[in-house]
Amino acid sequence: GHEAAAGSPLLDEALALGCVAVIIDHLLVDAAVLAAIRGAGLRGLVYTVNDPAEAASGAHAVYTDVWVSMGDDEAQRARREEVLRSFQVDTDLMRTADREAVFLHCLPAHRGEEVTADVIDGPASVVFRQAENRLWTEEAVLYAYIRRAWGDR
């Protein structure tokens, strides 16, 4: 969902490797979560921004997620769509990123909302490779769990 990135183990690991994360400033990201990330002594950096071009400028990867999640009430849904409209990942926004930047999305995507079809279906998109990698990871976790729970029966 839309809270998935801030404070997630994936973000923590990315920052530990020295990545830069850009979080939209006005989207109710819990201040305590941001403070904890910034205070964790990680090599990476966390920026909060209000400008999508600034967020994507020079990026090697542009990652987005759905703007609303199942269960969001209509008022929350309308507010998030209004606030995030300018952050839609389109060809112009991808042009501000590094020339070899990739586009990532955890899927399912809403074409025409958080991303345009020409980006998610375009040459910079690696969303299906990303999904395949996630599948193998999930299978490995499941296999490890089953081995631990059932042993070598």
Side-chain angles (χ1 to χ4, degrees), residues 26-92:
H26 53 278
L27 274 189
L28 307 176
V29 176
D30 188 88
V33 170
L34 286 176
I37 291 170
R38 288 183 174 134
L42 302 170
R43 294 184 314 176
L45 302 171
V46 176
Y47 294 101
T48 54
V49 299
N50 289 310
D51 176 30
E54 178 185 352
S57 178
H60 297 280
V62 176
Y63 194 122
T64 192
D65 195 358
V66 295
W67 293 343
V68 293
S69 295
M70 289 179 14
D72 286 349
D73 64 49
E74 285 306 311
Q76 185 178 28
R77 177 180 297 267
R79 180 180 180 277
R80 292 187 68 78
E81 287 176 353
E82 178 185 335
V83 168
L84 289 168
R85 178 78 41 215
S86 67
F87 278 84
Q88 180 185 60
V89 180
D90 59 15
T91 304
D92 290 337

